[in-house]
Amino acid sequence: MRDTEDHIIKISKALSDKTRILILKEVAKKGGIGLTCSGAEEIAELSQPTVSHHIKILVEADLLNAEKSGRCILLSVNKKTLNEFGSLISESFENL
Amino acid sequence: MRDTEDHIIKISKALSDKTRILILKEVAKKGGIGLTCSGAEEIAELSQPTVSHHIKILVEADLLNAEKSGRCILLSVNKKTLNEFGSLISESFENL
């Protein structure tokens, strides 16, 4: 039960920021993005340190997958985490 | 689209706190709680000002319904908001 609460809080924190929502949308829209490859710094027109900071939080919350590919890191949205979180939120506060 | 993002951020912020998760669980478990009625201060063994502060945030995010009943305020979990939020999260970051 404790783990469930911590999980909800971790994902919620990651989702409670406008820039991170923007990054998730951008990565989803492009069906994945290559980081440190050409064009990577252009995510949502943000500076590279800002992008790195927020991507770290999104990856740690398992909302973004980060896969190494040569000198690039390929980012994609982790649909599994999002779907499971969606179900968890719906189910966690049922009358017991 | 902007509204959707703001909505996600508002609900996520409300859910990203341990005490608020505790309160939601407590209200759900009891199938509703009467505030300012006997027993109201006992939510999750928290002090009354702490409870009030967090309940305000939960009500503003539509996660708790607050219904006046005589000298009491009856709190219940807003399942509709939770379910819609769950679906929204699953759908918002589809590849476009």
Side-chain angles (χ1 to χ4, degrees):
Chain A
M1 189 58 95
R2 205 47 185 283
D3 285 351
T4 307
E5 288 167 21
D6 288 343
H7 185 68
I8 290 175
I9 290 166
K10 187 172 192 175
I11 307 278
S12 296
K13 277 187 181 163
L15 289 173
S16 64
D17 179 276
K18 199 165 280 194
T19 306
R20 291 198 283 278
I21 297 288
L22 220 65
I23 292 173
L24 278 177
K25 280 200 179 284
E26 189 83 357
V27 173
K29 199 169 81 178
K30 298 192 174 169
I33 275 185
L35 210 66
T36 73
C37 309
S38 104
E41 291 77 17
E42 285 169 24
I43 297 181
E45 296 179 1
L46 299 163
S47 73
Q48 216 256 305
T50 302
V51 168
S52 295
H53 164 72
H54 287 298
I55 282 177
K56 190 166 172 279
I57 294 171
L58 290 168
V59 170
E60 279 174 3
D62 269 337
L63 288 166
L64 281 182
N65 303 306
E67 205 179 326
K68 239 187 152 202
S69 168
R71 295 170 67 183
C72 293
I73 293 171
L74 298 177
L75 295 179
S76 58
V77 172
N78 192 334
K79 286 295 296 171
K80 190 166 169 281
T81 302
L82 285 165
N83 290 337
E84 284 175 359
F85 179 66
S87 305
L88 190 63
I89 288 299
S90 303
E91 292 159 11
S92 286
F93 308 104
E94 299 283 350
N95 295 354
L96 302 177
Chain B
M1 188 59 93
R2 205 47 184 283
D3 286 350
T4 307
E5 289 167 20
D6 288 344
H7 184 68
I8 290 176
I9 290 166
K10 187 171 193 176
I11 307 278
S12 296
K13 276 188 181 162
L15 288 173
S16 64
D17 179 276
K18 199 165 282 195
T19 305
R20 291 198 284 277
I21 297 287
L22 219 66
I23 291 174
L24 278 177
K25 279 197 179 288
E26 189 84 357
V27 174
K29 199 170 82 178
K30 297 190 175 170
I33 274 185
L35 210 66
T36 71
C37 307
S38 104
E41 291 77 17
E42 284 169 24
I43 297 182
E45 294 179 4
L46 298 163
S47 74
Q48 217 256 307
T50 303
V51 168
S52 295
H53 165 72
H54 288 298
I55 282 177
K56 190 166 174 278
I57 294 171
L58 290 168
V59 170
E60 279 174 2
D62 268 336
L63 288 166
L64 280 183
N65 303 308
E67 205 179 328
K68 235 182 157 210
S69 168
R71 296 172 67 182
C72 294
I73 293 171
L74 298 178
L75 295 177
S76 57
V77 172
N78 191 333
K79 286 297 295 170
K80 188 165 170 281
T81 302
L82 285 165
N83 290 337
E84 285 176 357
F85 179 67
S87 305
L88 190 63
I89 288 299
S90 303
E91 292 159 11
S92 286
F93 308 103
E94 298 284 349
N95 294 354
L96 302 178

